[in-house]
Amino acid sequence: MSTTIFVKEVRDEDFTNYQKPSMFIGFPRCSWKCEKECGMRVCQNSTLAEAKNIEIEVDTLINRYLNNPITKAVVCGGLEPFDSWRNLIDLVSLLRSQTTDDIVIYTGYKEEEIKNQVQYLRTYRNIVIKFGRFIPNQQKHFDETLGVYLASDNQYAKRIS
């Protein structure tokens, strides 16, 4: 029996979130920590939050990814993948059983806030995590690990495995 997860969106080909062509998977939950900290509505994913959840089999996602000759990585993004931990782990573990391609996880959490989850993810190969909340009116900067610009100067990516 296949494992199903809930997502907000799936983009089979994405060229904006990582230096390699990627499948982008938008996760369905968020605690809105960025907005709570700055006291303003700033989330670039606010419209995504209003979209209906999509229930999809992980095997279907993996097959779509593996059968696409363009994509070379999977990006897990907003809303907030770590707020859907079970879905994230189900996807990562089943994806890892099929490929060692990079898995990139965008999070608004600070590294120290999710240290146990990061430690767990280190057991899988080729995991990259982008850490840090969006803070308005910051200078964007180029992140060498991701190969893309990030919106706030407190944000950074790290290859954890």
Side-chain angles (χ1 to χ4, degrees):
M1 187 167 102
S2 180
T3 300
T4 61
I5 63 172
F6 288 95
V7 299
K8 286 290 188 181
E9 76 171 308
V10 177
R11 271 183 264 144
D12 288 295
E13 296 168 3
D14 178 74
F15 304 93
T16 60
N17 290 293
Y18 192 48
Q19 60 189 319
K20 297 177 184 178
S22 305
M23 171 184 265
F24 180 86
I25 301 170
F27 279 72
R29 291 188 194 90
C30 189
S31 61
W32 308 107
K33 59 203 155 300
C34 302
E35 293 186 351
K36 288 175 184 173
E37 279 191 12
C38 76
M40 302 179 336
R41 294 203 63 166
V42 296
C43 184
Q44 66 182 11
N45 294 320
S46 292
T47 55
L48 186 60
E50 297 169 15
K52 286 186 174 185
N53 285 345
I54 301 164
E55 186 175 9
I56 190 165
E57 291 186 2
V58 174
D59 289 344
T60 299
L61 285 172
I62 292 171
N63 287 334
R64 281 170 61 173
Y65 173 73
L66 293 174
N67 290 316
N68 186 331
I70 295 171
T71 52
K72 305 295 180 207
V74 174
V75 174
C76 302
L79 299 173
E80 171 57 68
F82 284 95
D83 287 349
S84 298
W85 177 247
R86 183 77 260 152
N87 284 345
L88 179 62
I89 289 305
D90 287 345
L91 175 65
V92 169
S93 65
L94 291 169
L95 190 60
R96 251 321 144 249
S97 71
Q98 300 291 315
T99 180
T100 59
D101 290 354
D102 291 346
I103 298 173
V104 180
I105 304 167
Y106 270 67
T107 182
Y109 282 104
K110 299 171 187 172
E111 193 170 353
E112 61 271 12
E113 292 175 315
I114 53 172
K115 62 183 174 187
N116 293 335
Q117 292 93 330
V118 170
Q119 190 62 33
Y120 182 83
L121 286 167
R122 281 193 171 105
T123 64
Y124 297 100
R125 295 179 58 199
N126 299 325
I127 303 291
V128 176
I129 302 178
K130 188 287 298 173
F131 296 99
R133 301 192 204 336
F134 171 73
I135 300 172
N137 306 314
Q138 295 283 308
Q139 186 72 28
K140 74 177 183 175
H141 68 97
F142 188 78
D143 185 272
E144 295 290 337
T145 302
L146 295 174
V148 301
Y149 283 90
L150 296 176
S152 301
D153 57 15
N154 64 300
Q155 297 174 320
Y156 63 95
K158 182 188 271 188
R159 180 173 292 277
I160 65 162
S161 62

